[in-house]
């Protein structure tokens, strides 16, 4: 499949039901195969910040935006993947680290063993010929072996802090502002990750330098002994194929507000009443993060960071909005601002 770039010199106004305060500079890529156009890709400039973004069905998107705005912030929740969604895919031209890869054990032998597991299982994760039930078992096997190596080789909380300090990991531009906006509007944020909750929380501490009372991490959580040494993992393993709202029972709060059991139960009940969802992910499988939630309206935002030509067709059909080539979070920030505003704003 080839891509031909065509420039349109006009300014494309998005309707009032969508981004009423914005005007976008539009370019369109025609995806051609055997001379037939297969889709459209817009290049958008929002307040001077340029992103390549695909909207497959703009009419449907506008209807969803109107529905969520009508419900207001009180009915909205945000569900976000962490690695390569909230964080950058590339940093200074190099592939950024994932929350699993950030952690370096003192004995390099165990780092090597975990890397070999990655090299074996990672291709299987994306192999389209493997049935889902078989692939699920393979992912459980991979995560189980990795966690066993972390326990056997030794991990300390101090080691986590040092690993994050040395890591090649950074949030996308605009993420901090997005979290601040959602906290101000009282919109809960669930960060779903098949990685390590303790690493994610430490990255937030070191890179954002603050906590958010509305943010919870749904991920694999370590259990340390009184000396700060890893002894086990809490609850059922969360891997790439089962991270969804059913995993809330396995999550722990990022802050201290819901440490008591009653508070946590009340929070889960309140989340079920927030039936409008803004979902952020970098993998088509991330769309399953809202499984278990009986939502009314969901806007899905995807980040296609690499191998755009190979995956553009499937990704643009899967997500309501698709950002390409490791875009910033500024477009999502603009969208969230609009979703939380009223018609009079």
């Amino acid at each position: 499949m080839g891509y031909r770039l065509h420039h349109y010199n006009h300014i494309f106004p998005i309707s009032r039901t969508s981004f009423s305060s914005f005007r976008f500079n539009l370019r369109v890529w025609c995806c051609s195969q055997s001379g037939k156009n297969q889709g459209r890709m817009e290049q958008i400039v929002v307040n001077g910040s340029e992103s390549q973004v695909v909207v497959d069905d703009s009419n449907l998107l506008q209807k969803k935006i109107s529905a969520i705005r009508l419900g207001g912030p009180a009915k909205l929740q945000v569900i976000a993947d962490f690695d390569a969604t909230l964080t950058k895919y590339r940093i200074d031209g190099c592939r950024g680290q994932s929350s699993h890869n950030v952690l370096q054990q003192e004995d390099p032998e165990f780092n090597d063993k975990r890397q070999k597991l990655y090299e074996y299982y990672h291709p299987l994760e994306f192999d389209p010929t493997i049935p889902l039930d078989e692939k699920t078992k393979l992912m459980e096997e991979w995560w189980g072996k990795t966690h066993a190596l972390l326990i056997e080789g030794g991990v300390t909380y101090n080691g986590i802090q040092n690993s994050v300090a040395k890591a090649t990991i950074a949030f996308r531009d605009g993420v901090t502002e997005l979290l601040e906006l959602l906290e101000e509007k009282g919109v809960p944020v669930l960060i779903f990750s098949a990685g390590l909750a303790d690493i994610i929380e430490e990255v937030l501490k070191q890179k954002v330098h603050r906590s958010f009372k509305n943010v919870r991490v749904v991920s694999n959580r370590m259990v340390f002994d009184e000396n700060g040494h890893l002894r086990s993992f809490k609850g059922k393993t969360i891997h790439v194929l089962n991270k969804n709202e059913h995993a809330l029972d396995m999550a722990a709060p990022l802050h201290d507000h819901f440490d008591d059991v009653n508070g946590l139960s009340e929070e889960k009940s309140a989340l079920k009443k927030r039936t409008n969802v803004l979902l952020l992910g970098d993998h088509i499988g991330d769309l399953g993060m809202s499984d278990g939630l009986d939502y009314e309206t969901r806007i899905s935002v995807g980040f296609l960071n690499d191998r755009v030509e190979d995956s553009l067709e499937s990704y643009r059909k899967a997500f309501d909005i698709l950002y390409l080539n490791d875009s910033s979070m500024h477009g999502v920030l603009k969208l969230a601002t609009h979703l939380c505003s009223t018609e009079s704003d």
Side-chain angles (χ1 to χ4, degrees):
M1 179 180 290
Y3 296 86
R4 301 195 309 271
L5 174 60
H6 301 273
H7 297 277
Y8 289 75
N9 296 322
H10 64 281
I11 298 295
F12 178 70
I14 300 299
S15 71
R16 187 172 182 272
T17 58
S18 179
F19 299 88
S20 58
S21 60
F22 306 142
R23 290 175 69 82
F24 295 153
N25 178 26
L26 175 67
R27 297 176 182 175
V28 175
W29 277 256
C30 294
C31 310
S32 60
Q33 187 172 29
S34 301
K36 297 180 180 179
N37 291 339
Q38 301 293 325
R40 291 164 64 87
M41 181 171 78
E42 302 170 359
Q43 181 156 315
I44 290 177
V45 178
V46 184
N47 290 355
S49 178
E50 187 175 279
S51 294
Q52 294 174 350
V53 59
V54 180
V55 176
D56 191 61
D57 190 336
S58 59
N59 290 329
L60 177 60
L61 174 60
Q62 290 170 10
K63 290 177 182 178
K64 289 185 176 185
I65 289 172
S66 295
I68 292 180
R69 289 191 74 197
L70 186 64
K75 290 192 67 177
L76 178 64
Q77 63 174 294
V78 174
I79 300 174
D81 173 55
F82 185 76
D83 293 316
T85 297
L86 294 181
T87 61
K88 295 179 179 180
Y89 185 79
R90 289 188 180 87
I91 301 171
D92 297 328
C94 298
R95 178 70 170 91
Q97 291 178 289
S98 70
S99 56
H100 249 127
N101 292 338
V102 161
L103 186 56
Q104 295 297 304
Q105 295 173 267
E106 291 185 7
D107 187 341
E109 176 187 353
F110 288 91
N111 296 326
D112 293 340
K113 287 181 178 180
R114 288 190 290 125
Q115 180 61 30
K116 288 179 181 178
L117 289 177
Y118 175 87
E119 291 169 359
Y120 175 76
Y121 285 101
H122 186 254
L124 302 179
E125 177 187 345
F126 294 96
D127 188 337
T129 67
I130 300 177
L132 183 60
D133 57 345
E134 182 181 342
K135 188 176 291 187
T136 298
K137 292 178 181 178
L138 288 169
M139 296 303 101
E140 291 173 352
E141 187 179 279
W142 180 12
W143 260 252
K145 289 179 179 179
T146 297
H147 289 179
L149 287 173
L150 290 173
I151 295 171
E152 181 184 354
V155 172
T156 65
Y157 188 72
N158 287 338
I160 289 175
Q161 292 175 316
N162 293 333
S163 292
V164 171
K166 299 175 183 176
T168 306
I169 190 168
F171 287 105
R172 294 181 190 270
D173 295 341
V175 166
T176 300
E177 293 85 347
L178 176 63
L179 295 178
E180 289 173 344
L181 168 73
L182 296 171
E183 182 181 49
E184 176 189 343
K185 298 296 183 179
V187 176
V189 179
L190 301 180
I191 298 176
F192 282 73
S193 175
L196 300 168
D198 307 84
I199 293 287
I200 292 170
E201 293 175 359
E202 189 61 30
V203 172
L204 282 164
K205 288 178 184 177
Q206 292 193 25
K207 304 299 182 180
V208 182
H209 308 294
R210 59 156 296 185
S211 61
F212 298 90
K213 63 183 180 182
N214 61 321
V215 175
R216 290 189 63 216
V217 175
V218 183
S219 188
N220 298 292
R221 188 168 295 276
M222 297 176 172
V223 177
F224 296 92
D225 63 20
E226 62 277 6
N227 297 316
H229 294 275
L230 173 63
R231 286 293 173 257
S232 63
F233 284 84
K234 183 179 181 180
K236 184 181 176 182
T237 300
I238 301 174
H239 54 76
V240 289
L241 297 181
N242 73 346
K243 55 174 188 177
N244 54 47
E245 291 237 356
H246 289 300
L248 276 175
D249 291 335
M250 297 179 271
L254 179 63
H255 49 88
D256 297 328
H257 188 63
F258 293 112
D259 271 352
D260 63 284
V261 175
N262 291 332
L264 186 57
S265 177
E266 290 173 6
E267 184 196 19
K268 292 175 185 175
S269 177
L271 285 171
K272 296 293 183 183
K273 297 177 182 178
R274 291 180 174 268
T275 51
N276 291 329
V277 177
L278 176 60
L279 183 148
L280 314 177
D282 72 306
H283 192 288
I284 291 176
D286 289 336
L287 294 169
M289 292 189 298
S290 58
D291 289 352
L293 176 66
D294 188 18
Y295 60 82
E296 294 176 7
T297 305
R298 182 188 73 178
I299 294 177
S300 57
V301 179
F303 290 87
L304 180 51
N305 299 303
D306 195 26
R307 300 172 67 179
V308 172
E309 278 198 35
D310 296 337
S311 303
L312 177 59
E313 187 68 13
S314 59
Y315 269 66
R316 74 175 182 85
K317 290 180 179 179
F319 290 95
D320 295 306
I321 305 171
L322 179 63
Y323 286 95
L324 308 180
N325 298 315
D326 212 10
S327 297
S328 75
M329 195 63 70
H330 290 305
V332 178
L333 174 60
K334 293 291 184 183
L335 172 62
T337 300
H338 192 66
L339 293 176
C340 292
S341 67
T342 63
E343 291 291 336
S344 59
D345 289 344

